[in-house]
Amino acid sequence: MQATHVSEVTEGSEGSTVPAPGPDMNLIFEFSPLPLLVLSPSCFITRASARFLADWRVSSEACVGQHLVPFLEKHLHPASVEDANKVHGTIDDAIAARAERTTKAINVRLVASWTARVIPIFKEDEVLAIVTEWHEGPPQLLEGDLVKPGLSTHEAFRILVEAVKDYAIFLLDVGGHIATWNMGAELLKGYKRDEIVGRHFSIFYGKDDLEMKKPDIELEICLREGRVEDEGWRYKKDGTRFWANVVITAVYKDGIHVGFGKVTRDLTERKASETRLVAAYEESEKLKSDFLANMSHEIRTPMHGMLSACALLLDTPLTERQRDIANIMDESGQVLLQVINDILDYSKLASGTFSITSDIVGVSSIITSVVRGVQTTLQPSVHFELFLSSDLPKSVQGDPLRFRQIVQNIIGNAAKFTDKGSIRVRASLQNEEEDSYTVLTEVTDTGIGIPETAAASLFTPFTQFDITTTKRYKGTGLGLSIAKSLVELMGGRIGYRPNPERHGSVFWFTARFKKIKSLNQIQDWKKLPKGGSLHSRLGTDKSDWADLQTKLGEIAPAKNILLVEDNIINQKVMLGMLRSLGFKHIDLASNGAEAVNMVRGKPAAYELVLMDISMPILDGHEAAAKIREAGIRVPIVAMTAYALKGDRERCFEHGMDDYIPKPVDKKWLIKTLSKWLIRQKRDYRRRSLDDQMGELRLIRQKRDYRRRSLDDQMGELRLTAEQKVAASTSTVEVNGPCQ
């Protein structure tokens, strides 16, 4: 509605008319019938009309000078920064559009809602002020029409709580007895209000929770911390249970504790979904583990035949061309074996079953050994440099196998991708603490380098920066990912940077080792049986191997060995390998049942049994267990293509004494045979005799115990008989004179 303005006129000195002075604009604003606010361009309140102050029940001092957003927030019900910011957003829209805008309704003190008509005032492109014209309306209705004009806050809240159906909301007194009961609690737990009010809330807990005094503990924690939250099984009136999320809050009035507020949600469906997901995950992990175990066995079994046959072939007189071909077969097989090992290592790391052992680590010797091995594979145009800092510790405590694996991976990659130039390996002590060392190893090469686009994903599994069909360098893309995981398990970090001197790469990693505090600690380690791979258990000095093989060859002709293997090719290969070591008396069993019968038939005939695991009729585990049940203490060495976490330990659980993975490495075989046929045979027999003597002593003790028990029983019978006779004699003596 537009108002028509009529101005009064007066007559001028020359007969002209001029407008009479109008009313004061300040008075017009002050006494406007509309609630008005004038805002500065930055939304601070500069003026408020008398009507606005009266309707909003605020003073001019509490209003003028305040920013609009916090002012509105203090008067909204419920207090909401979001609603206040929405009003501010409408003002911004009006300024941007240079046109009036109207805000959405906001509730003020549960008695009314207000909308604001926003009018921006411009002088050319400059905002002079923002006029907001406020219009009152009925309160905005909440869910279920709970808020009505004139309804008190406490009453509205009570109605809201009582009407909620998805949550059990009720109050407890200071002793934990139920004081209120809402509709949600009745629907969830099955109790009517008059059935449950006054009873202790522990009625919802199961037997185990009551024995643990869980309800009382929860109230104690709630009093101490103000709040407690728990999830667990709770019980309904009919005895059925549901998975509940429970929140208990301490309630205070005027600083005095008056009770507890309790909110319960039914999460049974969520719990069931989680259980199904966990079961599905565990099943998928089991299937993956089974698949990897089967894949390992199925690939390693023929590889065992191939690589062992190559080893036997290389030990025979060959022409130069024949030896080159055999070496190519052997090297290709070793590459394939490394690919399989990478996949299995990644699987174990991803599933969290990879473990770090504790042993003596010679940092310098391991790095030097790896460098010597890699140097033989370098191109003639590549120069190798090794720098070992003088402050490197000689011996530390850690996992030598995993440290070697990391060093081998990083240096091996440098050799693989460097055709000319140099490779420089530098190891130094980065940090020393009271009980640990941190060793830094850097490998700098002048190879092909890493593109910037690939640097960020270098340590991501299955990632290779050259994925074309014409790529020159082969591999799984797992090496750096495995190295990263191993470094992190050893408390270190790994990284890459471009070679600052010339084209190429710099890979570095740190590893944290514990200090060896005494010589006794080293002696204790030397007494422990070493697990892990061949290189973690043995040295790599060729003279050591030659000496060990010579000693084994001296005793081999007099030793009887039982080879248990179902695969015909592997039978031929193992027989050839054993005979090449000097063994002449080798019996062969094609399955576990046949092996058990042969060992039981000649208990003292064999000095050692080489036992395959996967076989028909009776597998290696069952065969070893039956041999042990028969009391035969012959050393049994598992020989299996299963190479996953736990396979070695499973062999020991079934009574085996050692473990050789397939493909069988000839050096590992020599070490194991020497261990049981030369070094530990005497001790093993002594232990076996001690075990037998212990069993005899136990039998004697049981026999003596039974004899004593029988004597005790006979004594009790004799005592009972004597008592009966004495009682009978006493009766005769008493009755005799009366007759």
Side-chain angles (χ1 to χ4, degrees):
M1 176 178 178
Q2 297 180 346
T4 304
H5 177 69
V6 180
S7 299
E8 294 182 3
V9 295
T10 57
E11 196 171 335
S13 58
E14 296 180 355
S16 62
T17 60
V18 295
D24 189 347
M25 293 301 296
N26 289 329
L27 293 177
I28 294 175
F29 178 88
E30 183 69 23
F31 297 105
S32 169
L34 297 174
L36 301 175
L37 282 180
V38 177
L39 309 176
S40 69
S42 57
C43 283
F44 281 86
I45 300 172
T46 58
R47 295 197 63 175
S49 68
R51 180 64 182 270
F52 180 91
L53 298 176
D55 288 350
W56 282 63
R57 302 176 188 175
V58 293
S59 65
S60 179
E61 293 77 12
C63 178
V64 175
Q66 299 291 319
H67 192 276
L68 181 64
V69 171
F71 171 79
L72 291 178
E73 184 186 351
K74 288 190 293 186
H75 293 81
L76 295 180
H77 186 88
S80 173
V81 179
E82 182 180 357
D83 287 343
N85 284 331
K86 287 180 180 179
V87 174
H88 191 280
T90 303
I91 293 173
D92 290 341
D93 291 343
I95 293 173
R98 291 189 150 196
E100 67 177 40
R101 292 287 186 270
T102 301
T103 67
K104 292 184 178 179
I106 54 176
N107 283 333
V108 178
R109 296 194 188 91
L110 269 179
V111 296
S113 68
W114 292 86
T115 57
R117 179 171 169 238
V118 180
I119 307 169
I121 308 299
F122 281 82
K123 181 181 180 181
E124 297 181 353
D125 292 330
E126 180 185 2
V127 180
L128 298 178
I130 301 133
V131 178
T132 57
E133 178 182 302
W134 295 85
H135 298 273
E136 185 179 5
Q140 295 297 299
L141 299 181
L142 299 179
E143 184 177 352
D145 196 20
L146 293 178
V147 179
K148 300 180 183 301
L151 191 65
S152 70
T153 303
H154 295 295
E155 186 177 1
F157 185 73
R158 180 184 60 79
I159 294 173
L160 175 65
V161 170
E162 290 183 355
V164 169
K165 297 181 180 180
D166 295 329
Y167 297 84
I169 306 174
F170 51 94
L171 295 175
L172 309 176
D173 63 18
V174 292
H177 297 89
I178 298 167
T180 65
W181 198 245
N182 79 329
M183 179 62 68
E186 181 177 325
L187 294 174
L188 178 58
K189 304 193 177 187
Y191 293 94
K192 299 292 185 182
R193 185 189 302 270
D194 55 356
E195 294 177 316
I196 197 65
V197 171
R199 302 182 70 174
H200 197 271
F201 82 108
S202 59
I203 191 174
F204 308 126
Y205 290 74
K207 181 180 178 181
D208 293 340
D209 289 339
L210 293 175
E211 290 177 352
M212 295 168 52
K213 297 184 178 180
K214 189 172 184 178
D216 296 332
I217 293 173
E218 288 181 343
L219 294 187
E220 290 176 6
I221 296 174
C222 186
L223 275 177
R224 185 170 64 250
E225 301 181 4
R227 179 182 182 275
V228 64
E229 183 172 359
D230 177 51
E231 285 194 10
W233 293 111
R234 299 294 185 268
Y235 289 82
K236 302 180 181 181
K237 178 182 177 181
D238 60 6
T240 59
R241 67 178 187 173
F242 64 98
W243 187 262
N245 171 267
V246 180
V247 179
I248 304 177
T249 307
V251 179
Y252 293 87
K253 183 177 182 181
D254 299 328
I256 300 173
H257 177 234
V258 296
F260 302 91
K262 192 167 184 289
V263 179
T264 303
R265 289 186 296 164
D266 183 1
L267 300 181
T268 305
E269 186 57 37
R270 193 200 72 179
K271 178 68 175 177
S273 299
E274 290 177 354
T275 303
R276 289 193 294 269
L277 286 174
V278 170
Y281 173 77
E282 291 176 348
E283 178 65 20
S284 67
E285 286 297 304
K286 182 179 182 301
L287 289 173
K288 183 178 75 173
S289 178
D290 291 344
F291 168 76
L292 287 172
N294 186 63
M295 181 190 73
S296 170
H297 180 267
E298 294 302 320
I299 296 178
R300 285 174 180 271
T301 296
M303 282 188 64
H304 167 59
M306 180 184 72
L307 293 178
S308 300
C310 280
L312 291 174
L313 184 60
L314 289 169
D315 286 339
T316 62
L318 298 173
T319 65
E320 184 176 349
R321 177 169 175 75
Q322 290 170 337
R323 187 167 297 278
D324 287 342
I325 294 173
N327 279 326
I328 291 171
M329 294 168 60
D330 184 64
E331 290 173 7
S332 299
Q334 294 296 338
V335 171
L336 178 57
L337 182 60
Q338 184 59 48
V339 170
I340 297 171
N341 289 337
D342 281 350
I343 294 173
L344 295 179
D345 278 352
Y346 173 73
S347 172
K348 288 184 282 186
L349 286 164
S351 63
T353 59
F354 209 97
S355 60
I356 293 294
T357 62
S358 183
D359 204 340
I360 300 174
V361 181
V363 175
S364 299
S365 61
I366 289 177
I367 295 175
T368 303
S369 173
V370 172
V371 168
R372 286 176 180 171
V374 172
Q375 275 182 314
T376 61
T377 66
L378 292 176
Q379 299 288 340
S381 56
V382 179
H383 176 63
F384 213 114
E385 299 174 329
L386 174 61
F387 299 94
L388 298 176
S389 176
S390 59
D391 59 358
L392 277 177
K394 292 183 179 180
S395 296
V396 292
Q397 178 183 349
D399 192 326
L401 168 63
R402 301 311 170 194
F403 182 69
R404 176 184 289 272
Q405 190 172 353
I406 300 167
V407 174
Q408 180 73 53
N409 189 294
I410 302 301
I411 298 179
N413 269 359
K416 178 180 178 181
F417 295 107
T418 304
D419 291 334
K420 59 182 179 178
S422 65
I423 298 175
R424 183 169 63 249
V425 178
R426 185 184 301 274
S428 60
L429 182 63
Q430 184 186 59
N431 185 36
E432 180 179 359
E433 297 180 359
E434 183 179 353
D435 59 350
S436 67
Y437 296 108
T438 300
V439 176
L440 171 65
T441 306
E442 292 181 306
V443 180
T444 305
D445 65 65
T446 58
I448 61 175
I450 307 294
E452 292 184 8
T453 55
S457 58
L458 266 178
F459 300 97
T460 304
F462 306 105
T463 298
Q464 295 173 291
F465 63 83
D466 182 8
I467 57 174
T468 63
T469 55
T470 59
K471 68 178 182 179
R472 177 182 173 187
Y473 305 100
K474 311 299 181 182
T476 60
L478 285 172
L480 289 176
S481 172
I482 292 171
K484 180 176 184 293
S485 299
L486 292 177
V487 165
E488 291 172 351
L489 284 174
M490 298 181 71
R493 298 169 57 235
I494 191 170
Y496 154 83
R497 62 178 181 270
N499 188 344
E501 300 175 0
R502 50 192 297 191
H503 192 65
S505 306
V506 179
F507 281 89
W508 61 267
F509 74 93
T510 61
R512 193 165 178 262
F513 300 99
K514 292 183 179 179
K515 290 183 177 180
I516 298 176
K517 298 181 179 179
S518 66
L519 291 176
N520 293 333
Q521 194 173 1
I522 298 178
Q523 295 299 326
D524 292 340
W525 273 321
K526 288 182 177 179
K527 295 176 183 178
L528 294 174
K530 301 297 187 292
S533 77
L534 174 67
H535 298 293
S536 69
R537 300 172 60 187
L538 308 172
T540 56
D541 194 329
K542 293 183 179 179
S543 61
D544 292 342
W545 286 114
D547 182 58
L548 198 59
Q549 186 171 355
T550 300
K551 291 180 179 179
L552 182 62
E554 292 173 356
I555 66 163
K559 302 297 181 180
N560 293 325
I561 290 181
L562 175 61
L563 173 64
V564 188
E565 172 65 67
D566 66 309
N567 186 282
I568 296 177
I569 294 176
N570 289 342
Q571 287 178 2
K572 294 179 180 179
V573 168
M574 283 305 301
L575 286 172
M577 190 175 291
L578 291 170
R579 285 170 182 156
S580 70
L581 296 176
F583 290 93
K584 296 181 178 180
H585 306 291
I586 307 169
D587 289 344
L588 182 64
S590 298
N591 57 68
E594 187 178 341
V596 172
N597 292 334
M598 293 175 69
V599 174
R600 284 180 173 178
K602 297 184 291 184
Y606 301 109
E607 274 80 12
L608 185 135
V609 177
L610 288 172
M611 181 77 73
D612 188 23
I613 297 300
S614 179
M615 294 183 293
I617 305 177
L618 202 67
D619 65 24
H621 292 148
E622 296 171 324
K626 288 185 178 295
I627 291 173
R628 295 297 182 233
E629 289 171 4
I632 302 171
R633 304 300 301 174
V634 60
I636 302 176
V637 177
M639 189 175 59
T640 176
Y642 290 106
L644 293 182
K645 174 71 173 177
D647 290 328
R648 185 171 185 269
E649 291 75 11
R650 196 172 298 112
C651 292
F652 294 154
E653 289 173 2
H654 287 85
M656 300 186 189
D657 300 287
D658 214 329
Y659 174 94
I660 300 177
K662 293 180 181 178
V664 173
D665 185 281
K666 188 175 182 179
K667 293 181 180 179
W668 195 328
L669 180 63
I670 293 171
K671 170 64 179 179
T672 306
L673 294 176
S674 300
K675 173 183 175 182
W676 292 103
L677 297 178
I678 301 176
R679 301 177 182 178
Q680 298 186 13
K681 184 64 175 179
R682 185 180 305 165
D683 295 336
Y684 188 85
R685 286 177 173 170
R686 184 180 296 117
R687 288 198 303 270
S688 300
L689 182 59
D690 291 341
D691 292 342
Q692 294 174 15
M693 293 301 295
E695 292 175 0
L696 288 175
R697 283 194 294 270
L698 182 60
I699 292 172
R700 290 195 188 100
Q701 290 172 0
K702 290 181 178 178
R703 187 181 301 162
D704 293 342
Y705 178 79
R706 289 174 181 170
R707 184 180 295 113
R708 287 197 302 272
S709 299
L710 183 59
D711 292 342
D712 292 342
Q713 294 175 15
M714 293 301 295
E716 291 176 0
L717 289 173
R718 282 195 294 271
L719 179 60
T720 304
E722 290 172 358
Q723 289 174 346
K724 288 183 178 179
V725 171
S728 175
T729 305
S730 175
T731 303
V732 171
E733 290 176 352
V734 171
N735 294 336
C738 299
Q739 292 179 350

